[in-house]
Amino acid sequence: MNLYATFRSRFAQAMQAPAFIDPDGRIFSYADLDELSARFAALLRMRGVQPDDRVVVQVEKSIGAVALYLACLRVGAIYIPLNTAYTPAELDYFISDAEPALVVLSKPREVAAPHMAVLGEQASSPFWAEAIAAPADEAIAPRTPGDIAAILYTSGTTGRSKGAMLSIGNLVSNAETLVKLWGFGPKDVLLHALPIFHVHGLFIALHCAFLSAIPCIFLPKFDAAQIRALLPRATVLMGVPTFYTRLLALPEFAAADCASMRLFISGSAPLLAETHRAFEARTGMKVLERYGMTEAGMITSNPLDGERIAGTVGYALPEVSLRIADENGKHLARGEPGVIEIKGPNVFKGYWRMPEKTAQEFRADGYFITGDVAIENEDGRVSIVGRAKDLIIAGGYNIYPKEIEDVLDAVEGVAESAVIGVPHPDLGEAVVAIVVAKKDAEPSEQELQAAAAAQLARFKHPRRIIVTSDLPRNAMGKVQKNVLRQTYADVFKA
Ligand code: MCA
Ligand code: AMP
């Protein structure tokens, strides 16, 4: 069982059908994708990449990047995609942790790995050009469902990023479930504007498309006006809540734009009930909100046919056992808020080379502790009401305050800092840093931003830095972030 072989078995009957359509209407067929991925597979093998070797990839979104992902599956290598916004310092950490056989980047750079290759957005970029010239290697490595197909890094509250190991079985079962649950069929066209270095754009969107042998209109990034122009050629859009608030911000966006659309899906961050209602008022369509996590793919979903309720994330997927528990893992009664714990074929195989961290995140009976706080109502519908983890989600990107606090605390003149997420009209939440200066010191905002810029990806930089004399603490001496979140809740209000 190889994940690529599973995809191929689905689109084999439709090889000449489009896999990707670019905004100008150019078509890249499933046959083209099959061939390009076989050529990339040849290059991987030529560079000595073996089954279970890691391949770290930090490149712009392109069809070539998708073919490279599929080539890793063909070879049985473990694919590790990284956010293109990561700085060299962040990239070096991932390389040292993953110990890849090959690193593929957008620009050449020295890396601590046996091989480095450069893949641009165009077929003329070096690795892509080399692939086109290489003889295709059609071989597909035999794999088992428990084999790891990909590692996706997700940050931890302790600062160090953890690599979530996703098996072939995890990915296939989740994608098969979603194809059925969301009613994908041969007439669908998926509008794809998400990045492909996260579970949402890479696995949820692309796997549903490949298993259904349907085309993706493949866009390098999200642009509201472009999406509006392309909606009449599509049937399904998957996005983060910012997609929907930005579409609604276009005064001309209207029901007529959505005439061919059958489904708008939102996830990765909470969709405000007011956005859900405003979208329905404007288009007559209810966004289908679902909830997921890197470690488990999709976990719950509002129904395709039943009622989609604003502010809820729907029901546990058919294969997922979900319970709401207190901090000791005690199962709580329906209606009581607690942490979501889950079990099922979608739940990952653990954190790469972190057996102790993995063990901490699971209960003795095998349930994974998500850290999301929710209420389950009498009929099993889940509403997320908070987070037990110190996490900010801005525009669908996860940001761990500890990582930013560590950088700010190291700046001369800083005594301590607290980083929080506060409501933001475009991103849902945005990063605010509250900094306490040492006695007689006055660290400037410029110095603090420069420290962030040197080490952290742009999306993690504080959008506002507030220097204050002290931080609110509880009786145990712990910083009360909830108090800070209340104090600064209106910082981004217009
Ligand atoms: C870009 N910037 C951001 C973000 N994106 N800052 C904070 N949070 C962000 N998400 C920065 C840029 O570097 C830029 O910096 C400035 O903000 C303005 O950029 P803009 O052009 O407006 O941004 P954009 O390129 O339009 O991107 C916004 C976006 C994008 C469309 C919301 O971030 C996006 O596609 N997000 C989706 C993320 C995602 O796929 N998440 C899924 C992971 P400067 O000011 O210097 O110019 S979660 C997951 O996979 C689980 C399983 C799940 O449930 O789905
Ligand atoms: P990631 O680790 O990037 O996969 O992000 C997963 C986290 O995103 C979850 O643990 C939730 O906190 C959050 N999330 C995903 N979907 C939703 C949703 N529909 N509503 C609220 N939070 C969500």
Side-chain angles (χ1 to χ4, degrees):
M1 185 182 164
N2 180 303
L3 185 52
Y4 183 73
T6 305
F7 296 146
R8 202 179 185 288
S9 70
R10 301 300 172 84
F11 56 68
Q13 287 80 31
M15 283 307 238
Q16 297 315 317
F20 294 105
I21 305 172
D22 77 10
D24 299 324
R26 274 188 300 261
I27 285 174
F28 197 83
S29 70
Y30 273 102
D32 296 333
L33 187 62
D34 188 57
E35 189 183 321
L36 187 59
S37 63
R39 292 182 193 277
F40 273 122
L43 289 196
L44 295 179
R45 290 191 173 107
M46 272 153 59
R47 281 169 171 78
V49 175
Q50 306 270 334
D52 297 324
D53 277 351
R54 275 79 56 209
V55 176
V56 164
V57 178
Q58 188 193 32
V59 300
E60 296 303 326
K61 183 175 176 182
S62 69
I63 293 169
V66 177
L68 179 60
Y69 162 55
L70 297 177
C72 287
L73 296 180
R74 280 176 172 271
V75 170
I78 299 175
Y79 186 72
I80 307 183
L82 295 180
N83 192 323
T84 45
Y86 287 147
T87 61
E90 289 167 317
L91 174 66
D92 286 340
Y93 165 75
F94 295 117
I95 292 174
S96 69
D97 190 61
E99 295 191 272
L102 170 68
V103 178
V104 184
L105 303 172
S106 311
K107 290 193 200 89
R109 179 172 175 248
E110 254 191 55
V111 293
H115 295 284
M116 193 276 302
V118 176
L119 180 71
E121 292 167 57
Q122 303 292 329
S124 57
S125 82
F127 199 53
W128 195 328
E130 206 187 326
I132 291 170
D137 183 344
E138 296 287 343
I140 297 179
R143 303 253 85 194
T144 64
D147 286 334
I148 304 304
I151 294 177
L152 274 87
Y153 277 92
T154 138
S155 282
T157 36
T158 48
R160 275 189 70 201
S161 267
K162 306 162 290 184
M165 297 187 287
L166 296 160
S167 71
I168 293 172
N170 293 150
L171 298 175
V172 171
S173 68
N174 206 231
E176 299 269 26
T177 300
L178 296 175
V179 165
K180 278 191 226 126
L181 202 72
W182 293 340
F184 277 96
K187 295 212 169 70
D188 275 320
V189 177
L190 181 71
L191 196 43
H192 194 302
L194 287 160
I196 54 167
F197 42 69
H198 280 310
V199 164
H200 196 168
L202 181 64
F203 298 146
I204 308 309
L206 288 181
H207 291 185
C208 283
F210 294 158
L211 289 179
S212 314
I214 58 162
C216 286
I217 302 179
F218 207 56
L219 306 173
K221 59 174 287 201
F222 177 82
D223 176 272
Q226 187 183 33
I227 291 287
R228 175 175 174 253
L230 291 169
L231 281 175
R233 288 162 51 188
T235 64
V236 181
L237 174 72
M238 289 187 196
V240 295
T242 301
F243 282 23
Y244 296 103
T245 49
R246 288 189 184 179
L247 276 172
L248 287 168
L250 297 177
E252 61 279 20
F253 175 62
D257 297 318
C258 307
S260 69
M261 291 294 292
R262 69 168 184 89
L263 190 57
F264 288 96
I265 302 176
S266 175
S268 307
L271 182 74
L272 293 179
E274 67 190 60
T275 310
H276 192 277
R277 291 193 197 103
F279 198 87
E280 189 186 4
R282 186 85 70 90
T283 64
M285 296 183 73
K286 286 189 175 188
V287 175
L288 180 151
E289 185 173 11
R290 73 0 170 235
Y291 153 72
M293 202 173 167
T294 298
E295 286 89 337
M298 293 303 96
I299 300 167
T300 73
S301 173
N302 269 279
L304 183 68
D305 297 321
E307 213 184 337
R308 296 176 202 164
I309 299 181
T312 77
V313 294
Y315 303 95
L317 301 195
E319 64 195 11
V320 178
S321 306
L322 181 150
R323 69 188 181 198
I324 308 290
D326 69 9
E327 65 265 27
N328 302 314
K330 188 174 146 273
H331 197 168
L332 297 172
R334 293 217 161 158
E336 277 190 62
V339 172
I340 300 177
E341 298 188 353
I342 52 164
K343 198 172 171 174
N346 55 327
V347 178
F348 74 131
K349 298 291 164 206
Y351 296 110
W352 168 252
R353 291 182 179 165
M354 287 189 184
E356 281 140 34
K357 186 78 205 153
T358 304
Q360 280 168 20
E361 311 273 325
F362 282 87
R363 298 285 175 204
D365 61 359
Y367 275 75
F368 171 64
I369 308 162
T370 64
D372 291 305
V373 179
I375 292 173
E376 190 182 9
N377 77 3
E378 283 309 321
D379 77 342
R381 191 183 281 272
V382 176
S383 306
I384 295 183
V385 295
R387 284 177 212 139
K389 48 195 175 189
D390 194 11
L391 162 71
I392 299 167
I393 307 183
Y397 285 158
N398 285 11
I399 300 169
Y400 283 83
K402 176 80 167 68
E403 204 186 351
I404 305 168
E405 288 160 4
D406 285 349
V407 169
L408 298 177
D409 290 352
V411 174
E412 215 185 296
V414 172
E416 60 175 342
S417 63
V419 167
I420 53 169
V422 304
H424 187 277
D426 180 41
L427 298 169
E429 280 184 301
V431 177
V432 172
I434 326 298
V435 174
V436 178
K438 280 186 180 148
K439 196 163 174 294
D440 300 328
E442 269 181 62
S444 70
E445 172 152 3
Q446 223 174 0
E447 280 172 89
L448 297 163
Q449 291 291 11
Q455 291 173 67
L456 303 171
R458 175 79 184 105
F459 69 89
K460 300 177 190 172
H461 297 185
R463 296 262 166 154
R464 194 68 59 87
I465 295 181
I466 294 158
V467 180
T468 177
S469 53
D470 53 14
L471 298 174
R473 289 179 190 278
N474 66 12
M476 313 283 288
K478 201 168 173 282
V479 174
Q480 291 170 299
K481 289 203 167 175
N482 52 339
V483 173
L484 289 173
R485 278 191 285 266
Q486 271 168 16
T487 309
Y488 298 107
D490 292 340
V491 167
F492 298 109
K493 286 247 168 82

